Amino acid sequence: MAQQTLNVATVCTGNICRSPMAEVLLRHLVLEDATLQGRVVVTSAGTARWHVGAPMDPRARGALDRAGFQSPGSLALYADSAYLNAQDLVVVMTREHLHDVKARLRNDATDVLLWRNLSEPGLNLDVSDPYYGDDREFDECLAALRPGGQQLTSVFRQRLGERSHEV
């Protein structure tokens, strides 16, 4: 019998800053966890079409490199209905993204979560967009993503029926 897999998408506006950083972070955390390796597929996309086909912002790549995350991110995608419906879980950066994704989503089995609610439940806080900032703001954005990433690995294990443990 084949093992169950989980398709997970991280979503921001243009898919060149927050969501690709979250994608690389999650891929790293999945690779560190033997119960998740090969069972969780992480991608990212944007609610706007502005940067489709573009690599992540060099400042985002720099923040990842400074933090020791070397794996590449995907080229920017657009989070249309077909993309979203193919996901088991969509994790968005802002309340606006939450609204946009839910309006496009037609698959009732796909869950949508607000990233910061993973580490700060019920506060409905957005992950700030570093796009108009400097390297420091990109580093701060990545730091804001880390706690939610850790929580997501527990969510992944629960959904895949694995025993939860600290990473």
Side-chain angles (χ1 to χ4, degrees), residues 35-54:
T35 64
L36 300 178
Q37 288 177 11
R39 299 185 67 197
V40 179
V41 178
V42 182
T43 60
S44 64
T47 58
R49 299 176 195 257
W50 303 329
H51 304 288
V52 171

Side-chain angles (χ1 to χ4, degrees), residues 81 84-89 101-102 104-112 159:
S81 291
L84 295 168
N85 290 335
Q87 307 305 317
D88 297 302
L89 180 63
V101 166
K102 285 185 174 185
R104 295 176 192 169
L105 190 59
R106 301 291 176 258
N107 182 353
D108 291 338
T110 301
D111 289 323
V112 184
R159 286 178 171 251

Side-chain angles (χ1 to χ4, degrees), residues 70-87:
Q70 300 301 315
S71 66
S74 305
L75 297 178
L77 297 173
Y78 175 60
D80 61 11
S81 291
Y83 173 83
L84 295 168
N85 290 335
Q87 307 305 317

